[in-house]
């Protein structure tokens, strides 16, 4: 018997304690009904967070194609990202996990700790071509659980007309000081500076992390001098009128809507806005988020992992591995990541994406510098850290606490 087949199913207490709030880059809305394995052993179940793709779409056609190549029928169910974690935990408790589970990358460590997932050592998924910084989001306790299907991340969109009218050369924006100087020029020219999301949810943490990491701060010490400098940067932007007070309540969607008015010089947002950027009606560019002293800051990775849950019938793993390998093959990654507006997790496919669309070059660079939120073996510690981070951001930007006090309180709460 394989070692992973003996893991205990998660208890109800585990279901409650390990449920995490994710979905900051959810691809769409909608819901699906849970799918179960039929009596027919030739049917394999796939759960994914892409309910926006109906039968007949490129995504479902790919699932069917991979099933045909493996000699089985695929029964697929799409769930909202926010629902999928709890559905997966409950299914594991009931011994009814899908054969393939595609989940947002911060969820992988949660499911791994609950004993829901097999490791790549066990299931023989080949991850040798995956960029290490992206694979790290699916690693916990020295083991790897699944492989990324693609990644998205954050960068700075900029309005070329606004910057030109303000006399700003985008090539001069290389660090925090030069970015702030550009915002000063933009304000003086009568335009608006930068918009982002600092809402009190995971979205707020997601958007703050590039500045936090770009200062050299670490999630294990929220109240470091580096972390304080990052929060002070945002605070000073609001105080100087370079960013609007609306960032306190902005989601990434409403922040984008502000940028789409054409009045803002910069917006922090993700690859998933590329289609909307083309519809905005003005010339735009994309700049990787700069680090405090220059260079590109590490931005957090969004995107999903293809995983193989633990099964009572261990004979299913061989075919499940074939399905997962098919979904993440070079050609299929290219097609799928183009559909999802994702950057591929391998250099080979990234090069192919840039060759087909040069506008993806800054996004590929940003993804190569990106970092998983649960990296550094944080695993299930991340949600608690993130919650205290977004609370600190809210406290500092609203003026109820200084950046130093807000982060000191956050660190105390994490401990």
């Amino acid at each position: 018997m394989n070692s992973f087949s003996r893991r205990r199913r998660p208890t109800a207490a585990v279901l409650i304690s390990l449920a995490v709030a994710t979905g900051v880059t959810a691809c769409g809305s909608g819901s699906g009904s849970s799918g179960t394995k039929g009596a027919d052993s030739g049917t394999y179940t796939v759960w994914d967070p892409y309910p926006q793709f109906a039968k007949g779409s490129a995504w479902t056609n790919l699932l069917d194609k991979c099933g045909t190549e493996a000699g089985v029928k695929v029964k697929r169910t799409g769930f909202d990202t926010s629902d999928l974690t709890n559905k997966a935990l409950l299914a594991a408790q009931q011994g009814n996990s899908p054969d393939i589970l595609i989940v947002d990358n911060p969820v992988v460590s949660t499911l791994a700790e609950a004993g829901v997932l097999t490791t790549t050592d066990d299931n023989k998924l080949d991850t040798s071509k995956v960029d290490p910084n992206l694979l790290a989001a699916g690693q916990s306790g020295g083991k790897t659980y699944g492989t990324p299907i693609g990644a998205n991340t954050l960068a700075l969109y900029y309005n070329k007309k606004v910057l030109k009218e303000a006399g700003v050369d985008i090539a001069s924006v290389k660090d925090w000081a030069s970015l702030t100087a550009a915002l000063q020029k933009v304000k003086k020219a009568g335009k608006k500076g930068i918009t982002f999301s600092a809402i009190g949810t995971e979205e707020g943490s997601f958007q703050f992390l590039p500045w936090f990491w770009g200062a050299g701060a670490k999630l294990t010490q929220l109240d470091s001098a580096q972390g304080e400098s990052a929060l002070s940067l945002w605070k000073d932007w609001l105080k100087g009128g370079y960013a609007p007070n609306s960032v306190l309540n902005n989601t990434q969607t409403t922040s984008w809507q502000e940028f789409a008015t054409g009045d803002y010089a910069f917006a922090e947002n993700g690859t998933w806005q590329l289609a909307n950027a083309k519809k905005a009606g003005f010339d735009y560019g994309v700049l990787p988020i700069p680090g405090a002293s220059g260079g590109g800051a590490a931005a957090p990775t969004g995107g999903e992992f293809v995983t193989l849950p633990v099964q009572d019938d261990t004979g299913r793993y061989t075919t499940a591995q074939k399905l997962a390998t098919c979904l993440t093959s070079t050609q299929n990654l290219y097609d799928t990541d183009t559909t999802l507006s994702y950057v591929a997790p391998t250099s080979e496919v990234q090069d192919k994406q840039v060759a087909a669309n040069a506008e993806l070059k800054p996004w590929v660079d940003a993804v190569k510098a990106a970092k998983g939120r649960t990296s550094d073996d944080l695993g299930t510690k991340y949600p608690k850290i993130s919650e205290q981070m977004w609370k600190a951001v809210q406290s500092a930007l609203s003026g109820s606490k200084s950046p130093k006090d807000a982060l000191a309180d956050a660190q105390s709460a994490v401990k």
Side-chain angles (χ1 to χ4, degrees):
M1 182 180 289
N2 295 346
S3 61
F4 46 82
S5 66
R6 296 194 296 269
R7 289 178 185 155
R8 291 185 302 163
R9 292 173 187 157
T11 64
V14 170
L15 298 181
I16 295 170
S17 64
L18 290 180
V20 293
T22 56
V24 297
T25 56
C27 299
S29 60
S31 61
S33 58
S34 62
T36 58
K37 302 182 190 70
D40 180 7
S41 61
T43 298
Y44 279 67
T45 53
V46 176
W47 289 4
D48 66 53
Y50 313 130
Q52 72 273 29
F53 296 128
K55 189 164 183 63
S57 65
W59 171 244
T60 60
N61 287 343
L62 173 60
L63 291 172
D64 290 341
K65 174 189 171 187
C66 288
T68 298
E69 290 179 3
V72 297
K73 180 180 179 182
V74 170
K75 183 177 182 180
R76 173 259 180 175
T77 308
F79 294 94
D80 282 335
T81 300
S82 56
D83 293 337
L84 190 52
T85 305
N86 288 335
K87 289 283 199 309
L89 287 164
L90 184 60
Q93 184 189 36
Q94 297 171 340
N96 195 31
S97 292
D99 294 288
I100 300 289
L101 178 62
I102 303 173
V103 291
D104 197 15
N105 70 71
V107 175
V108 175
S109 58
T110 297
L111 297 178
E113 187 168 308
V116 175
L117 304 178
T118 63
T119 71
T120 52
D121 287 338
D122 293 330
N123 59 43
K124 307 306 178 188
L125 270 179
D126 181 8
T127 60
S128 59
K129 293 183 179 180
V130 178
D131 287 352
N133 66 315
L134 301 181
L135 190 62
Q139 294 174 327
S140 180
K143 296 185 180 297
T144 302
Y145 297 85
T147 188
I149 200 167
N152 54 37
T153 194
L154 297 165
L156 294 179
Y157 287 86
Y158 59 89
N159 185 317
K160 293 182 178 181
K161 181 180 178 182
V162 171
L163 292 181
K164 183 178 180 180
E165 290 177 352
V168 174
D169 178 4
I170 192 62
S172 70
V173 179
K174 298 179 178 180
D175 53 23
W176 290 3
S178 54
L179 175 56
T180 300
L183 296 175
Q184 291 170 337
K185 287 185 177 181
V186 168
K187 184 186 177 187
K188 189 174 181 181
K191 290 292 186 177
K192 297 176 181 179
I194 186 169
T195 179
F196 49 87
S197 169
I199 194 170
T201 68
E202 175 64 20
E203 287 191 68
S205 291
F206 189 72
Q207 291 237 320
F208 182 60
L209 276 171
W211 311 96
F212 185 81
W213 283 333
K218 296 182 179 180
L219 287 171
T220 50
Q221 188 181 354
L222 295 177
D223 60 348
S224 66
Q226 294 89 341
E228 182 187 344
S229 71
L231 189 47
S232 295
L233 178 74
W234 273 19
K235 175 68 175 177
D236 289 345
W237 283 352
L238 263 69
K239 186 177 179 181
Y242 310 139
N245 288 327
S246 57
V247 300
L248 277 160
N249 297 310
N250 270 349
T251 64
Q252 292 177 114
T253 298
T254 56
S255 171
W256 179 262
Q257 290 167 349
E258 289 179 335
F259 181 67
T261 63
D263 294 331
Y264 284 85
F266 296 95
E268 180 184 356
N269 228 296
T271 41
W272 54 92
Q273 299 291 6
L274 277 171
N276 289 328
K278 289 179 171 61
K279 301 174 185 175
F282 54 79
D283 286 338
Y284 72 93
V286 177
L287 178 74
I289 295 172
S293 302
T301 55
E304 292 78 41
F305 265 62
V306 179
T307 67
L308 276 65
V310 172
Q311 304 293 340
D312 288 339
D313 179 3
T314 60
R316 301 184 70 85
Y317 294 132
T318 300
T319 298
Q321 189 262 8
K322 289 180 182 178
L323 292 172
T325 298
C326 176
L327 291 174
T328 55
S329 68
T330 296
Q331 183 58 47
N332 289 338
L333 276 179
Y334 177 79
D335 293 339
T336 298
D337 290 337
T338 298
T339 298
L340 295 172
S341 290
Y342 281 3
V343 172
T346 68
S347 294
E348 180 182 9
V349 183
Q350 290 165 1
D351 291 345
K352 189 174 181 180
Q353 287 180 303
V354 172
N357 181 4
E359 291 180 2
L360 288 176
K361 180 64 166 63
W363 291 109
V364 169
D365 291 343
V367 164
K368 283 186 174 298
K371 186 174 181 177
R373 284 162 277 173
T374 58
S375 295
D376 299 329
D377 214 23
L378 286 177
T380 54
K381 297 175 185 175
Y382 173 74
K384 185 175 182 180
I385 294 171
S386 175
E387 181 179 1
Q388 296 308 319
M389 174 180 279
W390 81 58
K391 286 181 177 178
V393 169
Q394 286 270 303
S395 295
L397 298 192
S398 67
S400 65
K401 295 178 184 176
S402 68
K404 183 175 183 178
D405 289 345
L407 289 170
D409 290 347
Q411 183 63 28
S412 295
V414 169
K415 288 182 178 179

